[in-house]
Amino acid sequence: MEERANTLINTCSFSGVKPIMVDLPYPPIQVTGRNQAYANLLSNDYCGAVSELSATTQYINNENRLSCDRCAMAKTLLGIAMAEMMHLQKLGELIYLLGGTVDFAARQQNGRARMWTPEYLTIPENTRKMLLADIEAERAAINQYQMHMNMINDSCVNAVLGRIIKDEEYHIMLLEMMMEEL
């Protein structure tokens, strides 16, 4: 960070940052038929406590907090956040195609819905704990996707979830590499 007189300037440029994901195509966003129960499961992946909305928000917060002191790390986190945003978008399309509602409410099997809240986020005080929280969140997402794949009998939906898991595994690898650099 550069300081001129009384003005603070962040010199970290995010120009050219792209989503960080596995170099494989995504399957088509399609479903074999409408299914409200499947849409409800995916609403939790979309905006529940363990969700793409939570991941995106947490990564953006972490990137903002690191951009002045650790530019390269901040750029990586922004690239991961961009991939999580793409996951969010794909899940929203699947929910819609399944006949669900995309409204930032995670729906339970009993029909109750809970709106997304920033209380779902982990905001540690230092870089090491930040990366550990991100790794933990990625692992929780993978576990949740695998559980949902076992509950969903739609090969089209499961193909997309399986592809998202590949990105999440790649993110864990990158985060672990950043941990080693600390």
Side-chain angles (χ1 to χ4, degrees):
M1 182 167 47
E2 205 174 291
E3 188 173 342
R4 292 189 197 143
N6 291 328
T7 305
L8 298 175
I9 300 170
N10 183 357
T11 58
C12 186
S13 171
F14 293 96
S15 175
V17 174
K18 292 182 171 50
I20 295 178
M21 51 204 327
V22 175
D23 189 19
L24 293 171
Y26 275 87
I29 305 301
Q30 59 190 19
V31 300
T32 58
R34 290 185 175 271
N35 187 311
Q36 188 63 53
Y38 296 169
N40 289 350
L41 283 174
L42 294 184
S43 74
N44 288 279
D45 299 321
Y46 185 83
C47 63
V50 175
S51 69
E52 298 299 339
L53 182 58
S54 294
T56 300
T57 306
Q58 186 164 306
Y59 279 119
I60 292 293
N61 180 273
N62 292 347
E63 171 269 315
N64 288 158
R65 293 170 60 208
L66 292 176
S67 67
C68 293
D69 299 323
R70 296 178 181 265
C71 184
M73 191 176 286
K75 286 180 179 183
T76 300
L77 294 181
L78 179 59
I80 293 173
M82 293 166 77
E84 305 296 356
M85 288 170 46
M86 293 177 69
H87 299 163
L88 184 72
Q89 189 275 332
K90 290 175 187 321
L91 289 170
E93 283 187 58
L94 288 172
I95 293 166
Y96 177 80
L97 292 173
L98 289 165
T101 304
V102 181
D103 59 2
F104 298 107
R107 290 173 170 70
Q108 307 306 310
Q109 290 178 349
N110 64 10
R112 289 191 179 147
R114 177 156 184 206
M115 293 297 290
W116 184 85
T117 173
E119 292 172 3
Y120 294 151
L121 305 179
T122 302
I123 304 175
E125 69 278 1
N126 66 51
T127 304
R128 181 172 190 71
K129 289 182 180 179
M130 185 185 299
L131 294 174
L132 285 171
D134 290 341
I135 291 168
E136 182 181 314
E138 293 284 3
R139 287 184 178 142
I142 290 168
N143 290 337
Q144 183 168 290
Y145 280 128
Q146 289 170 335
M147 181 180 69
H148 288 172
M149 288 173 71
N150 289 331
M151 299 168 76
I152 294 173
N153 187 22
D154 184 320
S155 60
C156 298
V157 173
N158 284 339
V160 175
L161 298 183
R163 175 58 186 81
I164 290 172
I165 287 173
K166 290 183 185 314
D167 286 339
E168 308 301 21
E169 291 169 339
Y170 184 55
H171 296 162
I172 290 171
M173 182 195 73
L174 293 173
L175 293 164
E176 287 174 342
M177 288 172 54
M178 287 192 289
M179 286 283 296
E180 291 174 9
E181 294 172 9
L182 293 179

